[in-house]
Amino acid sequence: MGTANTVSLIIYLGMIVFALFLHTKNNKNSAYQVYVSDVIFNKVYTVLLPTAIILIGAALRLYRLAGIPAGLHQDEASIGYEAYILSAFGLDRDGNPFPIYPITYGSGGGSPLMIYLNVITTKLLGSSALSLRILPAILGIATLVVLFFLIRILSRETLLSEKSAIPFQRVTGEYLWLPLVSVAIMALVPWHVMLSRWSLDCNTTPFFVVSALLLFTLGGAKKERGTIFYALSAVVYSLCLYSYGAATFVIPLHLIIMCIICVKSGRMTMSQVKLGVGIFLLVSLPLLVFYAVNFLNLPEIITPIFSITKFTAKRSIFASGAGLFPAIFVNFITMIKNMTLGNSSEQILSYIPGFPPLLAFTFPMTILGIVISFIRAKGGSFMDLIMNSLFYPSFIFGLFVEEDITRMVLIFIPLVFFLARGFVFVVDEFVTVQKSSYKKHIKALAVAAKALPPALFFIGAFLFAQVYFTDYNNLSAEAFMPGYGEACAYAEDIISKEGTIFSTYEHVSAPFMIALYYTKTPPEDFLQTVHYKDPLAEFRIADSFTHFRFGLPDDMNDNLALYLAEGSVFILHKTQLPTLEEIPGYDAESMGIKAFGNFCVISASSNLK
């Protein structure tokens, strides 16, 4: 993809420079003026095309969902195990009934909204990779629908706020194409496709933020029912705080800016602001109490029906002290990388080399869109003011935290809009040439030029999808550990009551979490037998529970036959199998080997099932 990205980047830069030149020459005022309320568009553009794009986006998010990525990430397993034991036993892994905020690894690592929504999918679909991933996939698809209506309504509100007639071409660009292009970008970019296909707490956040934005916008648009929509938006905005920790800092700042914008423009009254703040605080209250208990060192609250517990370790991701300014610089560079060329240091969970979050060669369009949106916002454009109200707090937050792409989840929502703004601007300039010129060859060149930017984008998206659905399982094997969970479940099934399951630490991460999820160990059994390497570590990692011991015994090579004869079982990575033949006394006939993906279960042959 390197060469393709470079060529596409050069083409995009050339198109942008030429479009900016045309912008200084084109006379858009010659286009006839219309009132937005008088315009009726063909349903091909308002219904059929958006539906087709959303269906393509749905296919990208649902196709082989349980098998790509193959295996489970430890964070998926953590969320899944917590959801399973809450649905089956009403307890978290620490034995607390229905915690407001499950502390999972000790310092967090699984936000409550994702876990409790997975309780529902576990109840409905059972406990599996599919039940874990169906939620972010469905919400990812729903995000496309909500985003289309959000940009459409924002566009309409922005255009209607202009009392005079508007050039028809601008109406088509902003009201017709901007929503369509925005949803196409969200449907196809690697960031949102990958985010929708595995289960991490922040992966549902875009849906709740975009939904809250839509409800807030409807509050200003539906004058007679505005209060109802503002109240609903307050509920959904408060749910955002439960979806991911970054929202706790970004969303309140975003809401303050939004309220100021809407009050000044007459879209919101102070009584509606007060009502919204009250509802927001009321729904957020359990979470606020949780933070108070933890940061003010108050006693835990444990009741038979819910609990508010304390983290076992503190975790700080904020830059501070003498290293503040160097950290801000590093975070700034990381954000810029993720917004443009991609960050090669990111995990394969969110980044495939050659395919950055918004596709590498699109970043000049994104930068162009940011500049245009800032200028429009300065001029009072309601739509751009609203999108910038989310961008500014997200960007500022990113400067002060240990930055990675998951913590940037909120900033990508306005970035998608900015990229759409850039595309629409460039194409619009060539459309102006096409419509204003009387020369056939000029018209033909303008048609070709306006088709080139979207064509490059769709080609890039196609190449990404091709790599994702053919090579991603090989690329992500270290992160998702295909076969390890099935190996753990099989080992648990064949082990004797006195036996031990010894697991490798080769090519696995937090293997205890995968074992817990796949064996469906009851929380009481886990609590009675678990041993943490360091119970006060930032992330508690268990080195044993019930039959499992994570790490191979030091004397395995000398006493493998004895271990197997005593009924113990070994889980090894496939790369470790050749070393078995080098063990003194190796006897293939007395040994049973069963393969699961990249892992194998080694037992006495008599134990095979």
Side-chain angles (χ1 to χ4, degrees):
M1 273 297 294
T3 302
N5 280 337
T6 302
V7 171
S8 299
L9 176 60
I10 293 170
I11 294 172
Y12 268 128
L13 286 171
M15 299 290 287
I16 289 170
V17 170
F18 194 35
L20 289 171
F21 169 76
L22 290 175
H23 183 71
T24 64
K25 302 295 183 182
N26 286 335
N27 180 16
K28 295 185 177 62
N29 292 327
S30 61
Y32 65 91
Q33 309 284 308
V34 297
Y35 289 95
V36 179
S37 56
D38 297 332
V39 180
I40 299 175
F41 289 107
N42 191 313
K43 288 188 177 180
V44 169
Y45 301 100
T46 58
V47 178
L48 294 182
L49 275 177
T51 301
I53 291 168
I54 290 166
L55 289 175
I56 293 169
L60 290 173
R61 286 153 181 77
L62 294 174
Y63 176 66
R64 295 182 60 191
L65 182 60
I68 302 176
L72 279 184
H73 187 267
Q74 68 261 27
D75 288 343
E76 287 186 292
S78 176
I79 289 168
Y81 179 69
E82 209 77 8
Y84 164 72
I85 58 177
L86 283 167
S87 67
F89 303 95
L91 301 172
D92 69 358
R93 74 184 70 166
D94 291 296
N96 300 306
F98 295 107
I100 296 299
Y101 195 116
I103 63 171
T104 58
Y105 288 108
S107 60
S111 299
L113 188 59
M114 183 63 141
I115 289 172
Y116 281 106
L117 287 174
N118 267 287
V119 169
I120 298 171
T121 59
T122 300
K123 283 284 190 182
L124 294 174
L125 302 173
S127 185
S128 66
L130 179 61
S131 67
L132 268 175
R133 292 174 179 170
I134 195 66
L135 179 67
I138 294 298
L139 293 184
I141 297 165
T143 302
L144 304 180
V145 179
V146 177
L147 179 69
F148 176 76
F149 287 108
L150 169 65
I151 304 300
R152 183 97 183 268
I153 293 169
L154 279 173
S155 300
R156 183 176 178 83
E157 285 297 295
T158 302
L159 293 169
L160 285 174
S161 65
E162 300 189 26
K163 306 301 182 183
S164 59
I166 307 165
F168 181 70
Q169 190 171 319
R170 182 180 160 201
V171 174
T172 57
E174 297 211 357
Y175 185 63
L176 183 65
W177 287 109
L178 199 54
L180 198 57
V181 175
S182 295
V183 75
I185 291 169
M186 186 73 89
L188 299 174
V189 290
W191 164 69
H192 199 257
V193 172
M194 295 180 75
L195 169 147
S196 301
R197 292 186 60 90
W198 73 291
S199 194
L200 188 66
D201 47 2
C202 66
N203 291 4
T204 61
T205 304
F207 168 76
F208 292 101
V209 173
V210 174
S211 298
L213 262 171
L214 175 60
L215 290 168
F216 197 102
T217 303
L218 286 171
K222 306 289 185 181
K223 300 295 184 183
E224 66 282 357
R225 291 172 291 163
T227 301
I228 296 173
F229 284 106
Y230 281 130
L232 290 173
S233 75
V235 172
V236 180
Y237 268 122
S238 60
L239 290 179
C240 294
L241 306 190
Y242 292 89
S243 72
Y244 195 52
T248 308
F249 302 93
V250 174
I251 292 301
L253 290 174
H254 161 64
L255 278 173
I256 290 170
I257 298 170
M258 289 255 288
C259 289
I260 292 171
I261 293 168
C262 289
V263 169
K264 287 182 69 176
S265 63
R267 289 180 170 86
M268 195 177 197
T269 65
M270 285 307 299
S271 61
Q272 288 172 330
V273 172
K274 292 174 184 177
L275 176 65
V277 170
I279 293 172
F280 182 81
L281 291 175
L282 181 64
V283 180
S284 305
L285 184 60
L287 189 62
L288 297 177
V289 173
F290 169 80
Y291 287 139
V293 165
N294 276 272
F295 295 108
L296 300 178
N297 200 26
L298 302 176
E300 292 184 326
I301 302 171
I302 309 295
T303 75
I305 56 173
F306 75 92
S307 55
I308 298 177
T309 56
K310 287 185 180 181
F311 290 128
T312 59
K314 292 184 178 180
R315 180 186 179 201
S316 177
I317 59 172
F318 287 94
S320 60
L324 175 62
F325 290 107
I328 288 174
F329 177 75
V330 170
N331 292 335
F332 174 76
I333 296 300
T334 301
M335 281 198 293
I336 296 301
K337 283 183 178 179
N338 278 321
M339 290 190 289
T340 56
L341 298 174
N343 186 4
S344 60
S345 66
E346 293 288 357
Q347 285 184 308
I348 197 69
L349 305 170
S350 307
Y351 174 78
I352 297 177
F355 299 98
L358 297 180
L359 296 174
F361 47 86
T362 62
F363 77 85
M365 286 286 186
T366 307
I367 295 170
L368 175 65
I370 290 172
V371 173
I372 293 169
S373 187
F374 284 5
I375 293 171
R376 294 294 307 279
K378 191 175 179 180
S381 167
F382 179 65
M383 173 168 50
D384 295 280
L385 285 168
I386 293 300
M387 284 300 174
N388 281 294
S389 75
L390 183 57
F391 178 77
Y392 287 131
S394 301
F395 188 83
I396 293 168
F397 172 76
L399 292 176
F400 289 93
V401 299
E402 185 182 326
E403 195 56 86
D404 64 31
I405 195 168
T406 58
R407 297 192 186 106
M408 289 181 65
V409 66
L410 291 165
I411 205 172
F412 276 107
I413 297 168
L415 285 178
V416 166
F417 169 77
F418 295 147
L419 179 52
R421 262 241 180 268
F423 272 121
V424 169
F425 173 84
V426 170
V427 172
D428 185 59
E429 297 306 321
F430 292 109
V431 169
T432 301
V433 173
Q434 176 195 344
K435 291 185 175 181
S436 61
S437 177
Y438 296 101
K439 298 178 180 179
K440 289 185 178 180
H441 69 281
I442 298 294
K443 283 182 176 290
L445 287 172
V447 169
K450 76 176 184 180
L452 189 54
L456 286 175
F457 177 81
F458 286 124
I459 290 168
F462 172 79
L463 293 173
F464 159 73
Q466 186 180 43
V467 170
Y468 183 87
F469 289 111
T470 56
D471 296 338
Y472 188 64
N473 278 349
N474 291 329
L475 294 170
S476 64
E478 291 288 316
F480 289 94
M481 303 165 276
Y484 183 76
E486 290 84 354
C488 290
Y490 176 76
E492 174 78 2
D493 189 37
I494 66 172
I495 196 70
S496 64
K497 189 175 181 180
E498 296 78 20
T500 301
I501 302 169
F502 292 102
S503 167
T504 183
Y505 244 105
E506 292 287 326
H507 304 284
V508 293
S509 180
F512 85 100
M513 206 62 257
I514 307 293
L516 270 175
Y517 180 70
Y518 275 87
T519 59
K520 303 298 182 283
T521 303
E524 294 91 342
D525 294 350
F526 175 68
L527 281 168
Q528 290 170 7
T529 59
V530 66
H531 181 270
Y532 289 110
K533 291 181 179 180
D534 180 358
L536 300 180
E538 185 176 317
F539 290 100
R540 294 177 300 177
I541 302 297
D543 52 20
S544 66
F545 71 88
T546 61
H547 297 291
F548 285 90
R549 303 294 180 271
F550 299 97
L552 301 176
D554 294 335
D555 61 346
M556 186 184 87
N557 288 353
D558 296 329
N559 298 306
L560 178 61
L562 179 60
Y563 278 115
L564 295 178
E566 291 175 346
S568 292
V569 172
F570 291 81
I571 302 174
L572 303 178
H573 191 266
K574 63 183 180 182
T575 57
Q576 296 174 293
L577 288 180
T579 62
L580 294 180
E581 298 178 5
E582 302 172 5
I583 295 175
Y586 170 78
D587 181 5
E589 293 185 1
S590 65
M591 191 180 297
I593 302 176
K594 190 152 185 176
F596 298 89
N598 290 341
F599 296 86
C600 299
V601 177
I602 316 297
S603 65
S605 57
S606 58
N607 288 348
L608 281 177
K609 288 189 179 181

